[in-house]
Amino acid sequence: MNKWGFMKLTEINIYPIKSTRRIALEHAVVEPRGLMFDRRWMLIDSRGDFITARQEPMLATVETALNNDFLTVSGGNQSALRIPLHPDGSSIKSTIWQDTVNAVVVSEAADQWFSDFIKQPCRLVCLPDSVTRQVDQQYGQPQDQVSFADGFPLLLISQASLDDLNGRLEGPVSMRRFRPNVVVSGCEPFAEDNWQRIRIGEVEFAGVKACSRCIFTTIDPDTGTKDPRQEPLRTLGTYRRREKGVFFGLNLIPMGAGNLRVGDRVNLCH
């Protein structure tokens, strides 16, 4: 026990469709590619290239909910959309960053819903369990995989790191700006920078890389608008800039499967 007390898990979040709002959970299942249902869907354009809120900020306002065998999608003035958790549509090559994978087309209804929402033609695709997308082999092992997240299965941020940032901002921002999967309390600000191996509840994780941050952090998840002053990225850049970018949070790779629950103890592994 340190002067901050015991470290514990205070938030669990998934983002089923890439770039859309979080679903906050009390319990989650850890799979090799991340939390169950986290970033298993994404939008692609007519070329098969991924679309995110970096180009279409209003995507950050789309809500999703898990209901039995369906994911319910809602946003704007459009009617709610239900999509199956395990679609069996045709395969389509889909590119995310440097990776091209065989994703599954969800449905014509889903394509139309999102095309109407972002006002450009697009398709909704799902990453099937049968397809493996490797993590960057500079940081992982051949068996390490990731969903449609940018690079790694999970993102961790400590509450103290956000509190430190908010102490430097004119107006505080919520943790939702940074889209973590897990939030930890009970440590010093940015203690996570140095965590190489941790255990959360029954699952062990490798801390493999600090997370570089982009313009997405300047998008208000309630309104889908970008901050004209580029906050909080601008302030982060004054004290969290390194050679390859501005960093906030820690990318994790699970070392096994298991369950996480809010309130789980967090321990460093030696």
Side-chain angles (χ1 to χ4, degrees):
M1 183 172 175
N2 58 36
K3 68 177 182 178
W4 295 80
F6 293 112
M7 292 193 296
K8 67 178 182 179
L9 179 63
T10 54
E11 282 186 27
I12 303 172
N13 302 304
I14 61 171
Y15 311 82
I17 302 175
K18 188 174 180 65
S19 280
T20 61
R21 281 183 183 170
R22 69 172 184 168
I23 299 177
L25 302 174
E26 290 295 313
H27 164 265
V29 176
V30 180
E31 300 177 332
R33 61 179 62 175
L35 300 183
M36 183 182 288
F37 299 126
D38 183 50
R39 294 166 172 108
R40 297 302 195 267
W41 293 265
M42 73 174 181
L43 296 180
I44 59 172
D45 62 19
S46 59
R47 299 183 304 275
D49 294 333
F50 73 128
I51 298 171
T52 74
R54 297 173 182 90
Q55 308 105 295
E56 300 292 340
M58 287 301 292
L59 277 177
T61 69
V62 172
E63 294 191 31
T64 58
L66 291 166
N67 299 297
N68 298 321
D69 294 328
F70 291 89
L71 184 72
T72 302
V73 183
S74 57
N77 297 318
Q78 298 182 193
S79 299
L81 169 73
R82 288 206 316 172
I83 61 175
L85 295 181
H86 304 286
D88 57 1
S90 59
S91 178
I92 184 172
K93 289 193 178 300
S94 306
T95 300
I96 172 170
W97 299 114
Q98 288 78 37
D99 300 325
T100 298
V101 299
N102 290 316
V104 172
V105 176
V106 172
S107 68
E108 290 185 6
D111 295 346
Q112 190 62 57
W113 195 98
F114 279 99
S115 296
D116 290 343
F117 187 84
I118 67 172
K119 297 178 174 57
Q120 68 159 299
C122 64
R123 307 193 82 175
L124 182 68
V125 297
C126 179
L127 186 67
D129 293 338
S130 59
V131 172
T132 298
R133 178 183 171 223
Q134 280 187 320
V135 303
D136 186 336
Q137 290 299 284
Q138 182 179 349
Y139 301 99
Q141 301 299 316
Q143 72 273 14
D144 294 331
Q145 55 180 295
V146 61
S147 60
F148 284 140
D150 279 347
F152 296 91
L154 287 92
L155 172 64
L156 177 151
I157 299 176
S158 73
Q159 183 62 47
S161 297
L162 178 67
D163 294 344
D164 181 277
L165 170 61
N166 278 333
R168 302 166 189 260
L169 293 171
E170 289 184 14
V173 297
S174 76
M175 188 67 84
R176 292 185 300 149
R177 288 289 187 105
F178 300 98
R179 304 173 67 79
N181 293 111
V182 289
V183 178
V184 171
S185 67
C187 64
E188 297 183 3
F190 306 108
E192 63 267 32
D193 288 351
N194 301 311
W195 294 349
Q196 296 181 345
R197 192 69 62 88
I198 64 169
R199 177 174 291 275
I200 306 176
E202 64 186 43
V203 185
E204 195 167 319
F205 298 88
V208 292
K209 180 183 175 296
C211 183
S212 59
R213 310 314 306 232
C214 69
I215 199 72
F216 201 158
T217 60
T218 71
I219 299 172
D220 185 328
D222 292 321
T223 64
T225 57
K226 293 181 180 178
D227 189 288
R229 300 165 299 171
Q230 293 196 326
E231 292 290 10
L233 191 61
R234 181 178 179 180
T235 294
L236 267 179
T238 65
Y239 72 114
R240 294 290 298 172
R241 184 175 296 280
R242 302 178 188 172
E243 182 181 351
K244 295 185 178 181
V246 177
F247 292 85
F248 190 77
L250 178 68
N251 290 306
L252 301 178
I253 294 177
M255 307 302 292
N259 297 278
L260 300 182
R261 293 186 182 277
V262 169
D264 277 349
R265 190 73 63 87
V266 178
N267 293 296
L268 302 185
C269 303
H270 301 289

